[in-house]
């Protein structure tokens, strides 16, 4: 692909500082990095993935409303984090996170631990306690 042919299909990177780096052939025939604002084919694939994640989040949200799992499960899925990742980011033992995935245990969690979860998930404690529909 030539440098001028690198796709610039802005969708996921709109208003973000993140960009894709692609490699293209410059005027001299050398490969060179080129910043791309996206590619429609990649955007279509990402849309499929995000639709699936939204669907999974909605299933978890229904479980939270039925008090079968805690809001933490919803926010972990939405942030694409598993127990190990959250444990690492929040500096909380995995066993404690597993415990707080249970609705009743989460409701008993102290503010300090909730703040650690919220910080790791980049949301507020108030948002952590809610499971609003994802739009």
């Amino acid at each position: 692909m030539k440098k001028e042919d690198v796709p610039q299909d802005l969708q996921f990177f709109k208003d973000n500082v993140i960009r894709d780096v692609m490699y293209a052939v410059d005027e001299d025939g050398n490969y060179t990095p080129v910043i791309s604002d996206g590619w429609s084919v990649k955007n279509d694939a990402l849309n499929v993935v995000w639709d699936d994640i939204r669907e999974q989040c909605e299933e978890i949200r229904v479980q939270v409303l039925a008090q079968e799992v805690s809001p933490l499960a919803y926010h972990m899925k939405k942030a694409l984090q598993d127990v190990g990742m959250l444990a690492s980011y929040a500096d909380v033992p995995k066993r404690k996170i597993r415990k707080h995935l249970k609705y009743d245990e989460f409701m008993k969690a102290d503010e300090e631990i909730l703040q650690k979860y919220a910080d790791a998930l980049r949301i507020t404690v108030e948002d952590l306690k809610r499971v609003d529909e994802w739009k």
Side-chain angles (χ1 to χ4, degrees):
M1 171 181 332
K2 293 182 181 177
K3 199 172 174 179
E4 61 271 8
D5 295 332
V6 171
Q8 302 294 334
D9 300 324
L10 193 64
Q11 180 181 353
F12 285 99
F13 297 133
K14 186 177 184 180
D15 300 324
N16 286 314
V17 294
I18 300 171
R19 298 287 187 265
D20 267 347
V21 175
M22 300 181 138
Y23 288 87
V25 178
D26 65 14
E27 308 80 35
D28 299 325
N30 299 316
Y31 281 97
T32 182
V34 179
I35 302 295
S36 172
D37 285 324
W39 182 30
S40 63
V41 174
K42 185 175 181 179
N43 292 344
D44 291 345
L46 287 170
N47 278 325
V48 170
V49 171
W50 280 113
D51 287 345
D52 187 47
I53 292 167
R54 278 187 199 93
E55 189 176 301
Q56 292 172 27
C57 283
E58 181 56 25
E59 290 171 8
I60 295 170
R61 192 178 80 79
V62 169
Q63 291 177 320
V64 172
L65 295 174
Q67 299 183 358
E68 296 170 4
V69 298
S70 76
L72 182 60
Y74 173 83
H75 293 290
M76 286 173 59
K77 176 57 78 175
K78 191 172 178 180
L80 307 178
Q81 291 189 24
D82 61 16
V83 171
M85 290 172 70
L86 184 59
S88 176
Y89 294 147
D91 194 28
V92 174
K94 292 178 191 176
R95 65 174 172 69
K96 188 172 269 195
I97 293 171
R98 285 188 199 98
K99 175 182 167 184
H100 288 142
L101 289 172
K102 297 173 184 162
Y103 187 88
D104 293 335
E105 295 297 329
F106 178 81
M107 292 305 158
K108 294 186 241 178
D110 62 44
E111 287 299 311
E112 181 182 345
I113 194 81
L114 294 178
Q115 188 63 59
K116 284 185 172 191
Y117 291 149
D119 290 345
L121 294 164
R122 296 184 177 189
I123 58 177
T124 65
V125 171
E126 293 75 30
D127 288 341
L128 179 64
K129 294 177 181 179
R130 290 196 316 260
V131 288
D132 300 331
E133 254 184 272
W134 187 4
K135 298 183 183 190

